[in-house]
Each structure stands twice: as structure tokens, then as C-alpha cells.
Amino acid sequence: MVQMEIQVPTRNARAGYKVDVSRGQCVGRVSSEWFNRPADERYLSLTDLRKSVRARSQRSRTRIVESERIRVEASRDDAERLLLMLPDAEAPVAPTHWSFGQLASLVGAPAAYLRQLPAPLAAINLQCGLNSQRAEQVKTLEIQNGRLELRAVTGPDYGRIFDHELVEAVQKIAGNGTGDTRWKVPGVLDWSTGIYNPNVDISSDTTTLYASDRDVFLFLVDDLNPIEAGRLPNGEPDLYFRGFYCWNSEVGARTLGIASFYLRAVCQNRNLWGVEDFEEITIRHSKYAASRFALEAEPALIQFADSSPMPFVNGIKTARQRVVARDDEDRHSFLRKRGFSKFETTKIIDTVLLEEGRPPESIFDFVQGITRVARDKAHQDVRLDMEGKAKKLLDFAA
């Protein structure tokens, strides 16, 4: 396993940094997590988060069973309680909301409909499905949580990566995630001044460390050490920070993934502003998922955390310096050849003219115009397509 020395952050005495969030992409993934997480899924440190998810894993056990040997039981005296008898289990197992959905999917039954039925009727339907389908092996994840609960039902080759394994990998570079290393829970952008303040108290309202009964999600930034990559039109430095978020589900609710990027600010709603150089790794929980995590995802995270920002800085500078259009004909031709419609081309050029006070000339100008127009696209596929074309332009510049 890759090891590295945790870096102590270089503290900056300034109260904040002036940033220009009109540039780059706006990424709402973290905001979506922040908006939907109740109080009991929010953690104030990586230590607390790891302790919680590790304890959960230690109380869990995995078994391979034959689907046709699962018995579904329900009592007429308790119309809301459904129990499962698994082969060689010492007691009945109660399915969670998530594992009930997985079990229903296994037999091809609509989970939402079954949940509306009294437990005896739902049990009859599930048992019929288990008995009538071809027998196959399934992998169960059970936990002792005051009572024996079924957390997950997956295929026998499901490659489980436990949530605490991801958290522990992050702790190798981020320590407690509260500022004891370079990596920490982000600060907040003040929209009235355009100042991003990295020094904000970590609370339930500001934390970006989450875990539920079915997943974990973490977002951290290196926002005490700004990176200057060129100058803004007014002569001020164009500042960036490094950031990454990662996620996992040990019960099959989502893949494991890590996204790294450079950004200019994080607002109170945890939207990421001014994002550049976005990269993502995802790993499905297939048979060899654990080895892929050890060989790919964890080293990639450590490499990003410990790498020099100079390739990114030089790429931005090169894009700023590479002039590809000197008149309107060049501008329209440059964009049309890269798949933009006539309307999009005009919109991109007008956007740069409005925000920069001059028409686009360099690759960087065009990239900023494209990403700004992409933000206004209501359809996600269209937005992602435009942002993908912008990234290709930066790769072209490099």
C-alpha cells in the first residue's frame, strides 16, 4: 500500500482571497449532497466519520447463500414487519429499506408497490418470486444493530470496498480534515465582496463530510495555499485552490469514485465555482474492485495531493498565450469547426466580449466563454457536452 508523509499546511495570515468565479465551470455535486443530508449524516472530522463507519463494518458479516433457500416471514399481528430466514442464520433478519429494494429487484418485483402492501402480502409476493426464479447464489451483508438486519443483497462476485477503507485512504493525506494538514473542509465565498474566506468554523451547516447507512461522501480542499495562474483583466492574480471529492457505497448503492480539480471558491450552499481541470476515476464493485482501489484510486488520490501544481499553471498560461483568432471570421471559424452551432458561436463570442471587454483571441478566452455559456444550459447532457469541448481545447493548447 502506498504511504506518504502528511504535510503540515502553510498558514496564510490573510482573512481571504479575492476570486473571479465568473470563469471556469460551476459543479453542483457537493451542493446536492449538502442539501440532502440530514443532521445525523453530517460529521465534523474524518476521525469521527471513520469511527462511525468502521464500527458499522466491524458489526457486519458477509455470507453467500442460495436464493431459493431464503424464507420470507410475516405475522398477521404485525402488518408492517417482514422478516427473512436465511440458511444457517441463528435468528430472523430484518431487511433495511435499501436491502428490501435489492431483494425485490432480485425477483423482478416493483419495490415501491410491495412497500405499500401489508407485510403478509408482500411476503407472499417475495417468496413466490424467490421460489419461481432460477436458483442462484447471492451475497448478503448482515449487521447486529440491536437486532439482526440485512444491509445488502448483491451478486456473489460483488467486490465490496468498505466505506472505512476509503475514509482511511483519505486520512493518509488529510489527517483529521479540519486543518491539521493542507487538506480541510472548505471555507465560504462572500458574494457581496467576492472574497473567499478559508477560515470558517466547521459546523453541521458547513461540513462536507457525510455518511448514511448506505454510503459515504467527502469533499476537501487545500484552500490555505492559493495557486496563481495568470492575471485577471484588472491586473489582480487569478487564484485557484486544489480540491477533491470522493464517494463509496459498501451496500451497492453507488460506485466508488474520486474527482480531483482546481477551483476558485466554494459558496455557502457548497457549489464549486471556477472549476478547471476536472478529472474523475470511478470503480464498479466488480470482482476485482478491491485490488483496483489499491492499485488505481488510492495512489491517484495521493499523487494529486502531493503533486506540483506547475503542469496546471503552465497549461493555463499556455492557453492564455496561444492566440487562435484575430478577427470575427477567425472566431466563428474556430468554434464552428469544433462542433458549435451558429447560435452557440455567437453566444460564446458575445459572452467573452461582455465579461472581458474584448472579443476572444486565445484558447483560454474561448474556454472561459464556452464554460460560461454551458452554465446556462438547462439540459445536463448539453452542458456536459459543451464542458467536454472546452476541456479538449485546453488539451489542444497543451
Side-chain angles (χ1 to χ4, degrees):
M1 184 172 289
V2 181
Q3 300 288 337
M4 70 170 290
E5 180 180 352
I6 294 179
Q7 297 177 309
V8 176
T10 303
R11 301 292 177 181
N12 194 301
R14 295 177 58 185
Y17 307 99
K18 182 72 173 180
V19 292
D20 180 5
V21 296
S22 67
R23 298 164 175 263
Q25 301 177 43
C26 175
V27 176
R29 172 69 184 277
V30 181
S31 179
S32 177
E33 297 284 343
W34 172 84
F35 182 80
N36 289 294
R37 297 285 179 168
D40 62 352
E41 294 183 10
R42 297 170 180 246
Y43 293 81
L44 304 187
S45 71
L46 287 173
T47 300
D48 291 343
L49 176 57
R50 174 186 175 275
K51 182 179 179 180
S52 175
V53 296
R54 184 173 178 80
R56 181 174 67 193
S57 297
Q58 290 174 334
R59 299 195 312 272
S60 300
R61 59 170 292 183
T62 297
R63 292 190 296 157
I64 303 292
V65 302
E66 296 288 339
S67 60
E68 65 177 2
R69 296 184 63 193
I70 298 174
R71 293 291 174 263
V72 188
E73 297 183 350
S75 170
R76 293 183 180 274
D77 298 329
D78 189 351
E80 295 183 357
R81 188 177 184 185
L82 184 147
L83 296 173
L84 304 174
M85 285 301 301
L86 304 180
D88 303 321
E90 63 274 11
V93 181
T96 63
H97 182 88
W98 174 253
S99 65
F100 180 86
Q102 289 180 310
L103 191 62
S105 177
L106 176 68
V107 301
Y113 171 71
L114 292 182
R115 290 191 182 102
Q116 297 174 8
L117 298 177
L121 288 180
I124 292 172
N125 280 272
L126 282 176
Q127 191 67 71
C128 180
L130 289 168
N131 292 341
S132 62
Q133 72 166 10
R134 184 179 63 182
E136 61 182 38
Q137 290 184 326
V138 296
K139 181 182 288 187
T140 66
L141 180 65
E142 304 152 36
I143 185 171
Q144 186 56 248
N145 200 23
R147 63 173 182 172
L148 194 59
E149 291 182 345
L150 180 65
R151 295 187 59 210
V153 182
T154 60
D157 291 331
Y158 180 78
R160 180 167 287 111
I161 300 170
F162 283 99
D163 293 336
H164 73 82
E165 294 180 279
L166 176 61
V167 178
E168 288 163 0
V170 172
Q171 283 192 293
K172 290 179 182 178
I173 64 170
N176 207 28
T178 57
D180 54 322
T181 73
R182 299 173 67 95
W183 297 94
K184 54 184 277 297
V185 170
V188 174
L189 171 68
D190 185 341
W191 284 105
S192 65
T193 62
I195 299 292
Y196 174 74
N197 179 15
N199 301 305
V200 174
D201 291 338
I202 301 174
S203 68
S204 180
D205 289 333
T206 62
T207 188
T208 50
L209 309 174
Y210 311 122
S212 72
D213 63 340
R214 68 189 66 168
D215 73 335
V216 291
F217 184 93
L218 306 84
F219 167 50
L220 297 170
V221 294
D222 178 13
D223 60 2
L224 292 171
N225 304 281
I227 300 164
E228 180 180 335
R231 295 274 169 174
L232 300 173
N234 64 4
E236 294 182 350
D238 191 5
L239 299 179
Y240 298 83
F241 311 96
R242 292 187 297 170
F244 71 89
Y245 58 74
C246 50
W247 64 92
N248 184 55
S249 172
E250 62 191 25
V251 298
R254 56 170 67 175
T255 61
L256 180 144
I258 298 172
S260 63
F261 41 84
Y262 292 82
L263 73 162
R264 294 174 173 91
V266 184
C267 69
Q268 179 65 50
N269 293 337
R270 298 345 226 168
N271 278 306
L272 314 184
W273 295 93
V275 175
E276 308 276 3
D277 204 30
F278 185 94
E279 300 287 348
E280 183 175 288
I281 295 174
T282 59
I283 296 178
R284 293 179 59 252
H285 290 265
S286 56
K287 186 175 183 178
Y288 302 106
S291 60
R292 283 195 62 198
F293 174 64
L295 292 174
E296 297 179 29
E298 184 177 348
L301 177 61
I302 292 174
Q303 180 180 4
F304 174 73
D306 201 33
S307 64
S308 168
M310 289 313 298
F312 167 74
V313 173
N314 291 335
I316 294 293
K317 289 182 177 179
T318 298
R320 290 181 188 273
Q321 295 169 358
R322 186 162 182 180
V323 175
V324 293
R326 298 189 181 279
D327 55 37
D328 284 342
E329 183 178 349
D330 289 345
R331 294 177 190 104
H332 282 82
S333 176
F334 181 79
L335 290 172
R336 294 302 300 276
K337 286 180 179 179
R338 281 153 183 83
F340 293 99
S341 67
K342 184 176 181 180
F343 173 80
E344 290 171 336
T345 295
T346 301
K347 184 68 174 178
I348 292 167
I349 295 172
D350 289 346
T351 297
V352 177
L353 181 61
L354 177 64
E355 296 187 353
E356 302 291 335
R358 58 175 177 76
E361 296 180 347
S362 69
I363 286 181
F364 188 80
D365 293 337
F366 283 104
V367 168
Q368 298 308 307
I370 293 167
T371 53
R372 183 64 186 86
V373 171
R375 287 188 196 175
D376 298 330
K377 296 294 184 181
H379 199 287
Q380 183 180 9
D381 289 344
V382 176
R383 184 170 67 253
L384 292 176
D385 179 63
M386 293 190 71
E387 291 173 349
K389 290 177 181 177
K391 189 177 187 306
K392 286 182 180 180
L393 281 181
L394 284 177
D395 294 339
F396 173 69

